[in-house]
Amino acid sequence: MRIVRFSPGPNSGLGTDPLFGLLEEDGTNISVIAGDPIYAGMSKTGAVTQLSDVRLLAPVIPRSKVVCIGKNYADHAAEMGSDVPSEPIIFLKPNTSVIGPNDTIVWPAMSERVDHEAELAIVIGRICKDVPRERVNDVIFGYTVANDVTARDLQKKDGQWSRAKGFDTFCPLGPWIDTDFIPGTQRITASVNNESKQDARLNQMIFGVPEIIQFVSQVMTLLPGDVILTGTPAGIGALQPQGTVTVAIEGLGELTNRVSARG
C-alpha cells in the first residue's frame, strides 16, 4: 500500500485540513483514511479524491525524532576522507526539519554551501526497544524517500552535525509511505537541476536495515512515526539557489523540492 498525506483541493468537499489516504492501484484515486494510519489503522471513510487535485505533504509527521545514519556507503565515507565505520554512526535531525514534496528548501543566511544527500527512510510503526535483527519487520511501518540536506560549510566549521543538518526544511520526505517495499538492489539517485549527481544501489549500504534498527533500538526507544534515514552514497554536492533537487528510489518513488534564493 502507498499511504499519502495531502491537502485537499478547494472543490473536493473534504475541507481544508490535511488528510491521509491510500493511493489506489490505478495511481490516480486516493481513498481517504480516518486519522493517522500509524495510530488509527487503515479504515477508509468512503471519500475518494484524485491525486491530481491535491497537494502532497510529508507522508509522516515524526512526533518524536528523525534518526540518521552517517557514512553508511563505503564510497561516501571515502569521499569524506573517512574510514568505513565499524558500527553505525548515529545523529539526529529535529522533526521541525521535515517538509514534503515540492516544498521549498530554505537556504539559511549563515551558510554558503547547502548539499543534497539522497537516502532511503524507514518509518517506524510501533514502540520498540532492543529489537533483534530477525524481528525488525515487526516494527517497520513502511519506507519513503528522503533528502538529508546539509549545510556543508557549517558541518566542517562546527566539527559536529546538529546545526548543519538541523535547519527547518532540511529533511524533505515523500512522496508517500510504501508499506510493501522491500529494500534490495534498487537504484537510489539524486539530480540537481536535472543533472545526475548520485547513482548507487541500496545493497551497497554498509549496514542494512536489520542491522540499523537493531543498533539504534539498543541506544534509544523508537516510537510510532519515528523516521530513520539510512545514509547516502557518494556524489553529494552543492544545491543551486532557486534550483531544484530530485531524489528517487527505484520502485519506491521520486521526491522533488525547490531551493530558495541564497539567504
Side-chain angles (χ1 to χ4, degrees), residues 155-169:
Q155 182 182 22
K156 293 178 180 178
K157 179 181 180 180
D158 292 351
Q160 52 89 16
W161 303 350
S162 295
R163 176 167 64 142
K165 292 174 175 285
F167 287 99
D168 291 353
T169 75

Side-chain angles (χ1 to χ4, degrees), residues 72-142:
N72 197 28
Y73 289 75
D75 55 2
H76 173 57
E79 74 177 350
M80 298 297 289
S82 301
D83 294 331
V84 172
S86 60
E87 60 184 11
I89 298 171
I90 299 175
F91 63 94
L92 300 175
K93 293 172 84 82
N95 56 10
T96 50
S97 65
V98 172
I99 57 173
N102 299 311
D103 287 340
T104 298
I105 298 167
V106 178
W107 197 299
M110 62 181 66
S111 176
E112 296 183 359
R113 173 170 166 171
V114 176
D115 282 14
H116 58 83
E117 294 190 11
E119 308 207 11
L120 171 71
I122 308 163
V123 181
I124 299 298
R126 56 189 292 186
I127 298 174
C128 56
K129 174 70 175 172
D130 295 324
V131 182
R133 288 178 56 181
E134 62 272 16
R135 295 194 59 191
V136 296
N137 287 334
D138 295 343
V139 307
I140 296 172
F141 184 76

